[in-house]
Amino acid sequence: MLNYKLLEALAAVIDQAGFERGARALGLTQSAVSQRIKLLEARLGQPVLVRTPRLGPTPLGRRLLNHVQQVRLLEHDLLDQIPALGDSEQRLRIAINADSLATWWPQVTGAFCQTHELLLDMLVEDQEVALKRMRDGEVAGCICSTPRPVQGARSHPLGSMRYRALASPDFVRRHIAGEDGVIPSRLPAEKLRSMPAIVYGRDDRLQHRLLAEMGFDEPFPHHLCPSSEGFVHLALSGMGYGMIPEQQARHLLDSGELVDIAPDHALDIPLYWHHWRHGGSTLEQLTDHLLRHCSAMLLPIPEQQPPRPGTL
């Protein structure tokens, strides 16, 4: 029989990214949490954590974390039916990309969370790598660009987000437009090689994909900006051009504050909702809600170009 006090110690250390913060979350001393982890490892006969170079779960630890998260969700279902058993506060831990969080996600999920008194712990991850959080047992669901689910989970297509290469008029004048002020239909390699781009983070490959479609595969200068709001502000300031969701920038395009520098190369990025098969009724209800409402906020996933498993 599993000792859930030991499993809660493991979950707290991973959730809080450290023994000290994990102990504080449990109301225990760091020494007590360390002893629980050691006892768990002794009973299982193998480690559940990798401590260096970076704290993280072992393969066995990931399986245990998945189990703990699912037990929490199932316990909430039971507490809803039998309130006398204890506190029925429900928290759901998910991984979501910053651009979804900045555009359609609040409008789609706001009313649902209020109705179901659901609290969300949202880990912001690029849509290409969010599934790793689920595979590692850290989240019960995630938004990502990969259709293939991890073992024990389901995947549902939500729709696509359209990204456009946008820059300020001042940036266009300095780096792109000819003497007549016109943006060329095909940007020459020397311009792509020299003008600075804005990239969200190390895992963000949208800019690379755009340039590959334009026939350019060389290194390019770029700013790194891991903030969806900051990304737009950098573009508005003229510091660089970047792939920005059309939803987020539509009013800026309409006002002329941003300009599409590659109108023939918009990228439609598919989004999929992944969740555990046995995650309880709240997770199932959230899934049904997303599938009913996302079609009004996102573009269809093109059938003629089915997304491939893996990174973009």
Side-chain angles (χ1 to χ4, degrees), residues 207-224:
Q207 192 72 43
H208 302 75
R209 178 170 165 179
L210 168 76
L211 295 179
E213 288 195 2
M214 300 174 73
F216 183 83
D217 59 0
E218 299 177 33
F220 56 92
H222 59 275
H223 304 283
L224 286 178

Side-chain angles (χ1 to χ4, degrees), residues 183-189 191-192 211-216 261 264-265:
I183 300 175
S185 58
R186 184 176 181 85
L187 297 179
K191 293 186 180 295
L192 296 173
L211 295 179
E213 288 195 2
M214 300 174 73
F216 183 83
I261 65 171
D264 295 332
H265 294 279

Side-chain angles (χ1 to χ4, degrees), residues 17-288:
F19 280 84
E20 183 178 351
R21 288 190 292 269
R24 195 157 51 239
L26 293 174
L28 300 172
T29 65
Q30 183 174 340
S31 175
V33 170
S34 295
Q35 288 300 318
R36 290 187 181 187
I37 298 296
K38 290 179 181 178
L39 181 57
L40 178 62
E41 292 179 327
R43 290 185 178 181
L44 295 173
Q46 54 184 298
V48 296
L49 287 175
V50 176
R51 289 156 172 87
T52 58
R54 181 180 177 184
L55 185 68
T58 64
L60 174 60
R62 287 195 292 269
R63 292 179 63 186
L64 293 173
L65 288 169
N66 274 323
H67 177 74
V68 171
Q69 298 255 20
Q70 292 181 59
V71 166
R72 288 172 176 171
L73 294 170
L74 294 172
E75 280 184 350
H76 175 73
D77 291 348
L78 185 60
L79 291 171
D80 264 356
Q81 298 169 28
I82 314 173
L85 287 178
D87 185 6
S88 62
E89 178 187 279
Q90 169 70 323
R91 299 193 72 88
L92 189 61
R93 192 173 176 86
I94 65 167
I96 182 171
N97 61 308
D99 290 334
S100 290
L101 196 57
T103 52
W104 61 270
W105 177 264
Q107 294 172 261
V108 169
T109 60
F112 179 90
C113 290
Q114 294 177 44
T115 300
H116 292 79
E117 298 183 347
L118 175 64
L119 303 175
L120 295 179
D121 288 342
M122 290 170 279
L123 306 181
V124 178
E125 290 285 6
D126 191 85
Q127 64 265 21
E128 296 185 29
V129 298
L131 197 60
K132 183 180 183 298
R133 291 283 197 169
M134 196 165 178
R135 188 179 295 113
D136 289 349
E138 297 180 51
V139 296
C142 73
I143 301 287
C144 76
S145 59
T146 305
R148 182 180 296 170
V150 299
Q151 185 176 3
R154 289 193 176 98
S155 169
H156 306 274
L158 297 178
S160 297
M161 290 187 70
R162 177 163 293 168
Y163 287 77
R164 294 191 176 277
L166 305 182
S168 70
D170 177 63
F171 183 92
V172 170
R173 284 192 295 271
R174 287 186 287 115
H175 293 279
I176 302 174
E179 294 183 1
D180 56 2
V182 176
I183 300 175
S185 58
R186 184 176 181 85
L187 297 179
E190 58 268 22
K191 293 186 180 295
L192 296 173
R193 188 180 293 113
S194 61
M195 64 186 192
I198 308 167
V199 176
Y200 183 83
R202 304 294 181 187
D203 297 312
D204 178 12
R205 306 298 295 177
L206 292 181
Q207 192 72 43
H208 302 75
R209 178 170 165 179
L210 168 76
L211 295 179
E213 288 195 2
M214 300 174 73
F216 183 83
D217 59 0
E218 299 177 33
F220 56 92
H222 59 275
H223 304 283
L224 286 178
C225 179
S227 162
S228 188
E229 181 181 6
F231 200 100
V232 174
H233 285 304
L234 289 188
L236 287 168
S237 74
M239 287 179 62
Y241 72 102
M243 301 303 293
I244 299 176
E246 190 176 71
Q247 282 187 35
Q248 190 177 15
R250 189 173 292 124
H251 67 292
L252 298 172
L253 284 166
D254 292 342
S255 68
E257 293 174 81
L258 288 177
V259 177
D260 190 341
I261 65 171
D264 295 332
H265 294 279
L267 298 181
D268 289 348
I269 305 302
L271 297 178
Y272 296 84
W273 167 245
H274 293 250
H275 66 94
W276 287 322
R277 291 178 182 271
H278 306 294
S281 63
T282 301
L283 195 55
E284 292 176 359
Q285 290 168 14
L286 175 59
T287 298
D288 291 341

